[in-house]
Amino acid sequence: MPASTEMIIEGLTVQVQRKPIKNLYIRVVPPDGQVRVSVPRRTSDARIRRFVAEKLDWVRYHQQQLRERPAVAPSANIYEDGAQVPLWGREVPLRVVDLPARARIRAGAAWLADEEVIELSVHEGAAPEVRTQVMNQFYQEEVRREGLPLLEKWAQVMGLSYNRVSVKTMKSRWGSCSTKRRNISLNSELAKKDPRALEMVVVHELVHLLEPSHNVRFKALMSQYLPDWQQVQRRLNGR
Ligand SMILES: [Zn+2]
């Protein structure tokens, strides 16, 4: 393995490998977004600095993608009668109710608080994917119910406004914010996690309306509003 040296370029720690190659390559390596550059053997440090500097936006974008990517992709839960399923950081029992195949009642799931059970009603013989679909809808509603008041509360605290909120079942991020349109989306998978995670993501996306990138100012704002946000984020990503 060729020796690698470390360079600090524009505040980024970059691992540089000199190899018998013709071009310069840059990579952002999971899970923590380390930056690696491979360069031809005789490339000067100045050339490497210029190369990385030109790619800064690209690097930051990919590092952000990695940071916001759930460490564990949503598991293909088997939603069977009696299974324990996650809800707001707890494991709760699932009760599956078979609806007659021809019944005109819609499939659905609900949290029955007095019975401490999630009741999933599906038509007899429904495919496992249908159960997953119905449960995802249930989690979406949960995140909407808990998330919307949190968004309102924190938007008021920060003195800003947002436009549209959507809750989707996503595989690669906990939330997102389009700063131009001021739209926010939240991942329904958050309903499986500790409620503090939802609050942290809500604050994270709102802070993006003040600061689009994950820079020092962004982190300072996060700490101002949620002093332990980094701890919550680490726990959420299983790190
Ligand atoms: Zn972000």
Side-chain angles (χ1 to χ4, degrees), residues 64 67-68 173 175-177 204-205 208 211-214 218:
Q64 175 183 342
R67 254 193 301 271
E68 294 184 355
R173 56 223 306 230
S176 67
C177 176
H204 180 119
E205 302 313 336
H208 272 318
E211 174 54 59
S213 66
H214 297 128
F218 179 89

Side-chain angles (χ1 to χ4, degrees), residues 21-196:
I21 50 177
K22 289 219 169 101
N23 296 304
L24 290 80
Y25 299 97
I26 188 163
R27 281 204 302 149
V28 174
V29 187
D32 44 8
Q34 198 197 48
V35 182
R36 277 187 214 160
V37 178
S38 308
V39 300
R41 287 205 196 281
R42 288 165 203 275
T43 314
S44 70
D45 283 6
R47 173 80 186 90
I48 297 171
R49 280 180 194 284
R50 273 203 313 277
F51 176 69
V52 173
E54 280 163 15
K55 299 273 191 291
L56 273 186
D57 284 346
W58 181 89
V59 167
R60 298 226 163 95
Y61 173 77
H62 285 278
Q63 285 184 327
Q64 175 183 342
Q65 295 296 96
L66 284 177
R67 254 193 301 271
E68 294 184 355
R69 182 178 72 172
V72 183
S75 52
N77 270 316
I78 299 163
Y79 295 117
E80 280 176 357
D81 192 48
Q84 296 284 320
V85 296
L87 182 66
W88 299 119
R90 298 191 294 144
E91 293 282 307
V92 301
L94 184 75
R95 182 163 75 210
V96 177
V97 176
D98 271 334
L99 301 170
R102 283 155 191 258
R104 296 183 64 182
I105 311 161
R106 283 183 50 194
W111 167 241
L112 306 184
D114 354 323
E115 296 178 58
E116 285 274 304
V117 70
I118 295 175
E119 191 172 79
L120 167 64
S121 310
V122 281
H123 291 109
E124 270 168 13
E129 303 85 75
V130 173
R131 293 181 181 208
T132 303
Q133 228 173 47
V134 174
M135 285 303 289
N136 282 343
Q137 274 163 21
F138 165 74
Y139 285 125
Q140 284 167 17
E141 282 155 25
E142 284 292 301
V143 167
R144 204 179 299 279
R145 186 171 58 77
E146 297 290 327
L148 295 189
L150 279 174
L151 273 164
E152 255 172 60
K153 172 191 136 181
W154 280 103
Q156 222 167 49
V157 170
M158 296 180 200
L160 45 81
S161 66
Y162 53 89
N163 223 338
R164 241 187 39 210
V165 181
S166 54
V167 179
K168 298 178 248 180
T169 306
M170 298 184 274
K171 284 202 163 59
S172 59
R173 56 223 306 230
W174 293 116
S176 67
C177 176
S178 76
T179 48
K180 253 189 227 147
R181 301 200 170 114
R182 304 181 83 80
N183 291 338
I184 288 172
S185 66
L186 300 170
N187 192 343
S188 66
E189 293 290 301
L190 286 163
K192 299 178 181 175
K193 307 292 180 180
D194 188 285
R196 297 262 2 246

